[in-house]
Amino acid sequence: MNILVVDDESVIREGLARILEGDSFTVDAAKNGHAAIELLQQKQFELIITDLKMPGMSGFEVLNAVKILQPDTPVIMITGFATVETAVEAMKNGTVDYIVKPFTPEQILEKVHLALEQKKTTVEDIVVKQEVDCHHGFDEFVGESREMQKIYRRIIQVAATDSTVLITGESGTGKEVAARAIHKHSSRRDQPFVAVDCTALAENLLESELFGHVKGSFTGAVQTKMGLLMVADGGTLFLDEISNISLSTQAKLLRVLQERQVTPIGGTQPVSFNIHLVAATNRSLKTMVAEGKFREDLFFRLNIIPLELPPLRERKGDIPLLIRHFMNKFVEEVGKDVRGISPEAMHFLENYSYPGNVRELVNTIERAVVLCEGDVVQKENLELGEAAESCSTGFDGFVPTSAEALKEMKRHIRDRSVENVEKAFVIQALKRNNWNISRAAEETGMLRPNFQTMLKRLGISVKDYFGR
């Protein structure tokens, strides 16, 4: 079982590692809160042991990050101050136990074993299951895949805090949808949600929009304007594509976020504000930091709680649900009597790689409904072109650069090929038998329950293929 030890004193880290490894635990150690968060993003732990007093980030801040990143994981707090107040505060903040320095090996092992016995199902798991069962999705998201259920749980968890969130993901994966869901499920839901597209404004205009300005502070400032940081006061500020702001604006933004005060351009008096900050980017900020294009201190300030949205090609099981959802939506909007989608069109959509992700799927379905001349959408109505044919192979033009990446890609292509054969097998069997599952199973020599299990595993619904 993996245990993470967080302490700025090397003697404590090394001592705990020896004690725990002697009891057959695997131990990772972090010398500060930032290093702990890096490890929490990379690896699952069964238990966290963290010091309370550490420079830079306290044990309570580490605890808040754990509650979002790994909410099932219990936390034991180490303190050098054996006061009732400290113990009460630690327990109120969510630790399962605390231990006072100095401690014996027997004391720490007793608390570790007790904490591990107390792990339980989280409230978030229950809420997500209820909503997914009712709506085949969560909030404005559509999808029941395990990848998306992890996202739904993370949204609920982070919405209950004021911790800064960094949403990453390719274009079209729904970063603003996630930001709005965080706001909607938070205690700030009745306050403003302010979205800023950092790519849409020039640098001087972006600073004016964010911080505000006073009349006459620069050419064109004909009146005093409140900045969006103040407009969002009490609510949520969403900075979309934050990777596009300049280094000079990054420095000013970092100072404003640290002090929680903003001075309008041309002003002299700082004004305090209270926001929940959510940022988003489709680029790797860690890579940009290494290239000197993004400030490391601002990256640490933003990357408290990461939320990585998966591309559509990594949650293929959700595609039939998405198609049905948006077919219903556009049929109603356009006013056409379209009752479904042909098996060929569905098979094509399920095997397309979607470089534009959900946004591209939405546009494709809307176009297909508009162009459909009968009551069933055909493959030619999709108009995805020759590029779609090459994308459906699973290669997508990507060439691996390491032996490990090659191995993973070969496994992915092999699994994808087998899945495609299985899908063709069951779809053709259903077509030959007028979409009757019992007859299709009998014809292929399979038991009906086994045939149905294969349909479910492949995400195939007769209703999706044969119409509503």
Side-chain angles (χ1 to χ4, degrees):
M1 301 181 75
N2 299 317
I3 296 179
L4 174 61
V5 173
V6 190
D7 201 300
D8 59 310
E9 296 183 54
S10 60
V11 64
I12 298 293
R13 294 196 304 274
E14 293 165 4
L16 282 171
R18 282 196 299 271
I19 294 169
L20 295 168
E21 288 170 350
D23 202 37
S24 301
F25 292 105
T26 300
V27 180
D28 286 270
K31 64 181 180 181
N32 55 47
H34 291 305
I37 288 175
E38 288 275 340
L39 286 168
L40 287 167
Q41 294 173 26
Q42 299 167 10
K43 188 175 181 179
Q44 183 66 40
F45 293 96
E46 276 70 45
L47 178 69
I48 315 291
I49 304 174
T50 180
D51 193 13
L52 174 60
K53 299 289 186 180
M54 294 183 292
M57 182 179 285
S58 72
F60 286 137
E61 289 179 291
V62 172
L63 173 63
N64 287 335
V66 172
K67 285 193 290 188
I68 304 301
L69 294 169
Q70 297 189 21
D72 296 343
T73 305
V75 176
I76 295 175
M77 194 75 72
I78 302 173
T79 175
F81 308 96
T83 66
V84 174
E85 291 79 8
T86 302
V88 169
E89 186 179 6
M91 301 303 277
K92 281 173 63 178
N93 276 272
T95 58
V96 296
D97 210 339
Y98 75 99
I99 189 164
V100 181
K101 300 177 186 177
F103 45 79
T104 66
E106 291 75 19
Q107 288 174 320
I108 192 67
L109 289 174
E110 179 185 358
K111 290 185 179 292
V112 164
H113 287 288
L114 183 61
L116 290 171
E117 290 171 7
Q118 294 175 348
K119 291 183 70 172
K120 59 185 182 299
T121 303
T122 65
V123 174
E124 290 83 2
D125 288 330
I126 298 169
V127 172
V128 167
K129 186 178 187 306
Q130 288 174 339
E131 184 150 353
V132 168
D133 286 346
C134 290
H135 308 293
H136 304 293
F138 177 85
D139 206 74
E140 295 299 316
F141 283 104
V142 177
E144 299 177 336
S145 62
R146 283 179 296 178
E147 293 84 0
M148 292 309 295
Q149 290 193 44
K150 289 179 184 177
I151 298 297
Y152 305 155
R153 280 193 292 273
R154 179 67 59 88
I155 287 172
I156 293 175
Q157 292 152 7
V158 76
T161 77
D162 285 334
S163 299
T164 301
V165 186
L166 180 62
I167 305 174
T168 56
E170 297 176 7
S171 295
T173 49
K175 294 188 286 294
E176 185 167 344
V177 174
R180 290 184 181 275
I182 291 169
H183 177 72
K184 181 178 175 180
H185 289 270
S186 74
S187 60
R188 298 171 181 261
R189 66 181 67 88
D190 297 324
Q191 300 302 317
F193 175 88
V194 178
V196 183
D197 185 351
C198 297
T199 62
L201 297 168
E203 181 180 348
N204 59 332
L205 291 178
L206 179 61
E207 290 186 21
S208 173
E209 286 290 318
L210 286 176
F211 309 141
H213 62 255
V214 299
K215 182 179 179 180
S217 57
F218 56 86
T219 303
V222 295
Q223 59 184 9
T224 297
K225 180 177 181 178
M226 181 185 291
L228 294 177
L229 281 160
M230 290 305 302
V231 173
D233 188 35
T236 302
L237 179 66
F238 175 52
L239 297 180
D240 197 10
E241 300 306 343
I242 196 166
S243 59
N244 290 293
I245 64 177
S246 67
L247 287 169
S248 62
T249 303
Q250 289 175 32
K252 295 171 185 175
L253 178 62
L254 174 65
R255 182 169 182 176
V256 164
L257 294 177
Q258 286 174 333
E259 298 177 356
R260 292 284 158 166
Q261 289 185 325
V262 60
T263 303
I265 297 172
T268 56
Q269 294 297 320
V271 184
S272 298
F273 61 88
N274 173 21
I275 62 166
H276 187 191
L277 180 64
V278 181
T281 176
N282 62 6
R283 302 171 66 186
S284 168
L285 295 189
K286 188 177 289 188
T287 300
M288 292 182 68
V289 168
E291 295 172 348
K293 297 176 181 178
F294 202 88
R295 291 181 63 101
E296 184 177 40
D297 44 10
L298 179 57
F299 170 66
F300 284 133
R301 172 67 59 176
L302 297 173
N303 195 41
I304 302 298
I305 307 296
L307 181 65
E308 184 175 0
L309 298 179
L312 186 53
R313 63 182 174 275
E314 291 181 6
R315 56 182 189 105
K316 291 268 186 176
D318 289 332
I319 290 176
L321 280 175
L322 287 159
I323 291 171
R324 189 194 319 164
H325 173 80
F326 290 112
M327 283 263 309
N328 291 338
K329 176 178 184 291
F330 293 121
V331 164
E332 185 176 344
E333 288 182 5
V334 175
K336 278 194 169 184
D337 185 20
V338 177
R339 65 184 181 88
I341 183 169
S342 73
E344 291 78 14
M346 176 67 84
H347 183 69
F348 186 82
L349 288 172
E350 287 183 322
N351 289 280
Y352 181 53
S353 64
Y354 296 100
N357 291 295
V358 177
R359 185 184 295 132
E360 183 178 10
L361 175 61
V362 173
N363 294 341
T364 300
I365 297 302
E366 181 177 12
R367 179 170 60 246
V369 170
V370 170
L371 298 178
C372 180
E373 296 179 350
D375 59 357
V376 175
V377 169
Q378 302 297 329
K379 181 180 174 182
E380 56 266 24
N381 300 139
L382 305 176
E383 292 196 350
L384 286 171
E386 294 180 3
E389 298 285 358
S390 62
C391 287
S392 66
T393 63
F395 183 65
D396 299 341
F398 170 74
V399 178
T401 57
S402 68
E404 188 61 33
L406 175 62
K407 180 181 176 182
E408 177 62 23
M409 185 173 183
K410 287 165 68 176
R411 184 198 64 75
H412 174 73
I413 293 174
R414 186 164 53 249
D415 291 347
R416 187 94 161 259
S417 299
V418 170
E419 185 178 290
N420 288 341
V421 171
E422 289 179 331
K423 281 186 176 180
F425 169 76
V426 295
I427 290 169
Q428 291 302 318
L430 287 166
K431 284 175 67 176
R432 289 194 303 271
N433 291 278
N434 198 28
W435 300 92
N436 184 295
I437 294 175
S438 296
R439 289 205 300 267
E442 183 179 358
E443 185 204 56
T444 56
M446 294 181 67
L447 295 174
R448 190 180 194 281
N450 293 348
F451 194 88
Q452 282 187 307
T453 299
M454 183 178 287
L455 289 175
K456 186 174 182 180
R457 176 169 56 79
L458 296 170
I460 294 174
S461 166
V462 171
K463 180 168 64 173
D464 290 328
Y465 280 83
F466 200 56
R468 302 191 309 278

